[in-house]
Amino acid sequence: QVQLVESGGGLMQAGGSLRLSCAASGRTFSSYLMGWFRQAPGKEREFVAAISWSGGRRYYADSVKGRFTISRDNAKNTVSLQMNSLKPEDTAVYFCAASAYGDYDRESAYDYWGQGTQVTVSS
């Protein structure tokens, strides 16, 4: 089993940067594909980014491509999301998730979820 705890959210002006981190417990962290999703008020949760178990493959939603970077450190059981050039539409609760297998951009493919961290971007 994997437990996930996100941190690093907060309030930022448009154009600024934030770095989210997700700390995972469990000895099998390195075997999971890790993803970030977000949910804005009144909207469904959506895929943001994902990274393969080795870190060799990274995937991004079109809305964040070129602005966000996902990374992982298997030695420290952490996955991070560097968010640059933030926009007001990036405002959402951001969730870290772990998938043993499956499609990287589908919620149903993920087995474990964190509780989320709020990111608010002001204009």
Side-chain angles (χ1 to χ4, degrees), residues 1 16-17 26 33 42-43 46 49 55 71 75 77 89 104 109 119 121:
Q1 192 161 358
S17 298
L33 177 147
K43 295 187 177 181
E46 64 176 3
S71 60
N77 281 13
E89 50 263 44
Y104 62 85
V119 171
V121 184

Side-chain angles (χ1 to χ4, degrees), residues 33-35 37 50 97-99 103-104 106-113:
L33 177 147
M34 298 299 298
F37 286 73
S99 173
D103 297 333
Y104 62 85
R106 291 176 55 188
E107 279 192 65
S108 59
Y110 288 80
D111 306 285
Y112 304 102
W113 292 83

